[in-house]
Amino acid sequence: MRERIFVGDGRIDALPGDARGLAYGDGLFETMRVHHGAVRWWEAHMARLANGARRLRIVLPDIAAIEREARDLFADDGDGVLKLIVSRGGGGRGYAPTPDAAPLWRLSRHPLPPPARTGGLVLRWCDTPLALQPALAGIKHCNRLEQVLARAEWRDAGIDEGLMRSTEGDVVCATSANLFVLHGDRWSTPAVDRCGVAGTCRAWVLAETAANETRVAIEDVRTADSVLLCNAVRGILPVARLDARAWAPHPAVADLRMRLARAHPAFVQENA
């Protein structure tokens, strides 16, 4: 892993000990797929970052500076994952933020994850629920303890992901991906107005399918004709099994994956 850390416009050698993102999760992050040195969904990631910063009232670094440093990290035109963390500036103990403090931000380069399971993902239900918090819903903030607890529930290599429900029981997402379910020719995806993350790949699928954003019940998943997960690093991932429920490959998912490969060449190899 290679990384670069900054406070405002100035580069520093290491994270300060009083960093608010480290102490309180007071920040935002973006995880981006890089293909031949470029982030195809750069604008979408930066738009989500800006929305999160506005809602949390965090000062953002100069976006041009972030892009310049990101390009330099991938100057070899390689493939991989770019992670950006932006946390509120100002240190010291206590929750009260320092107004207009210069942001602390970190860029890091990571290898691509292993390829997804051939034939589709195997899922389980997670016991850890997602709390309802509209003030944080949709944004990719740095406090991910619910996902950490949910992902710690299993160590079985035969399970690829877990589906999470809200405290009211509706299905929201996987631990690190958004969810879409197909009934007939109509796609639906859980609304993220009370909890969950508005993913960039989710936004692409929404635009392509005009999917219905709604509350999704457990029974809606079990009775679906097809189920897929998606995120910005791994693209569209078909689901093959959830507990005793199994799904055969579906042409609607195959079509979406081919369309994604045309729009985002990084995902061509996953769809081969």
Side-chain angles (χ1 to χ4, degrees), residues 32-51:
M32 297 166 269
R33 178 70 177 257
V34 181
H35 181 62
H36 294 175
V39 177
R40 180 60 62 100
W41 285 334
W42 178 263
E43 291 80 8
H45 283 289
M46 293 303 102
R48 181 174 62 181
L49 180 71
N51 176 55

Side-chain angles (χ1 to χ4, degrees), residues 8-226:
D9 297 328
R11 188 169 176 179
I12 59 176
D13 294 330
L15 283 173
D18 58 359
R20 292 183 63 89
L22 181 63
Y24 309 125
D26 187 8
L28 302 157
F29 71 102
E30 294 290 332
T31 310
M32 297 166 269
R33 178 70 177 257
V34 181
H35 181 62
H36 294 175
V39 177
R40 180 60 62 100
W41 285 334
W42 178 263
E43 291 80 8
H45 283 289
M46 293 303 102
R48 181 174 62 181
L49 180 71
N51 176 55
R54 176 185 57 79
R55 288 170 58 183
L56 295 183
R57 297 190 283 278
I58 291 176
V59 176
L60 278 183
D62 177 52
I63 298 300
I66 298 174
E67 185 173 14
R68 183 171 59 250
E69 295 294 338
R71 288 185 184 279
D72 198 46
L73 270 178
F74 282 87
D76 60 350
D77 292 332
D79 296 343
V81 177
L82 175 69
K83 185 164 185 177
L84 167 66
I85 302 174
V86 179
S87 63
R88 194 186 311 273
R93 196 184 66 81
Y95 293 134
T98 302
D100 301 322
L104 173 66
W105 54 287
R106 173 181 178 265
L107 280 171
S108 54
R109 175 176 176 167
H110 307 265
L112 291 172
R117 183 191 302 270
T118 302
L121 302 183
V122 178
L123 308 185
R124 73 185 294 275
W125 291 106
C126 294
D127 296 324
T128 305
L130 289 164
L132 303 182
Q133 178 46 274
L136 300 177
I139 65 176
K140 203 159 185 178
H141 57 81
C142 288
N143 194 320
R144 294 287 140 195
L145 285 176
E146 293 164 327
Q147 286 80 5
V148 170
L149 290 174
R151 184 57 188 86
E153 290 179 16
W154 80 92
R155 295 187 145 218
D156 183 352
I159 302 295
D160 300 300
E161 252 289 12
L163 294 184
M164 300 185 69
R165 293 156 286 186
S166 77
T167 51
E168 291 190 349
D170 53 304
V171 186
V172 179
C173 57
T175 64
S176 59
N178 290 116
L179 168 74
F180 283 80
V181 295
L182 180 67
H183 290 87
D185 61 356
R186 184 64 168 161
W187 286 100
S188 298
T189 189
V192 291
D193 57 332
R194 303 190 301 173
C195 57
V197 175
T200 52
C201 192
R202 174 184 183 270
W204 184 90
V205 176
L206 277 170
E208 289 291 310
T209 63
N212 184 31
E213 297 180 79
T214 186
R215 303 280 175 256
V216 173
I218 292 174
E219 196 62 18
D220 295 328
V221 179
R222 288 175 176 159
T223 61
D225 297 312
S226 187

